Amino acid sequence: MGLMHKLRLPGPGETLPGRSIEMPVPPMHFVNGAGMKPPFPEGSETILVGMGCFWGPERKFWQTSGVITTAVGYAAGSTPNPAYEEVCSGLTGHNEVVLAVFDPEVVRYEQLLKVFWEGHDPTQGMRQGNDLGTQYRSGIYTYGEKQRALALASRTAYQAALERAGYGEITTEIQDAPKFYYAEHYHQQYLAKVPHGYCGMDGTGVACDIAPLAELVVA
């Protein structure tokens, strides 16, 4: 197969079968020692996003005040419990994603959306910089109507800001959060283990103003 098949999502009957066994991951976060898997602290909330290669975005989130724990994995495809090589083949439909659990009393969801929008270029389709493939697409996967409303409103606001700066149309997919599959242990908190490892994050330099989202926030 050539490169083109990796730039489109696989159709019915094209995806790999996967497996029933879950990927084993460390019980504790390498950076802060928090739990990597549920149950998470009472009152905490979750954000799930795709921003290209997941190593850099995970670091960005664990460095954000109010974030309790993070993990990288795969979501929004069809193959159950995929391996990294399978995701890279373009035949799972999955995206490389970051899951961040946060304390909403310390950091709000819309503040994390600002981290998301400013941390990558959401206009690039099935790529991010030099990384090409469906697993590098931009995505927000929402938990509940409040998150969905905020994600959609933020996309509209950021689109206007990008257009003023000369950028094209946002290609970010926004959909209900699908099942999250943990990535292999060596991917978790990778840039803390390999400080000078590859990081493909490269935002547009355009600020995301989240102030207009305040009216959508409900108690």
Side-chain angles (χ1 to χ4, degrees), residues 22 25 36-38 40 46-49 54 70-76 81-82 94-100 143 177-183 188:
E22 294 185 359
V25 295
M36 286 274 291
K37 302 186 77 172
F40 298 121
T46 302
I47 184 171
L48 184 66
V49 295
F54 47 24
T70 61
V72 296
Y74 315 114
N81 299 299
H94 283 299
N95 197 3
E96 291 191 19
V97 296
V98 176
L99 180 146
Y143 297 91
K179 183 174 177 58
F180 171 78
Y181 296 100
Y182 284 85
Q188 306 299 335

Side-chain angles (χ1 to χ4, degrees), residues 5 13 47 55 62 66 69 74 78 84 86 88 97 105 121 132 143 146 151 157 162 164-165 186 192 196-197 200:
H5 89 278
I47 184 171
W55 294 340
W62 85 55
T69 193
Y74 315 114
S78 301
Y84 178 67
E86 293 172 332
C88 290
V97 296
E105 297 296 321
D121 182 348
L132 302 176
Y143 297 91
K146 176 183 174 181
L162 287 174
R164 290 193 294 270
Y186 60 88
H196 299 294

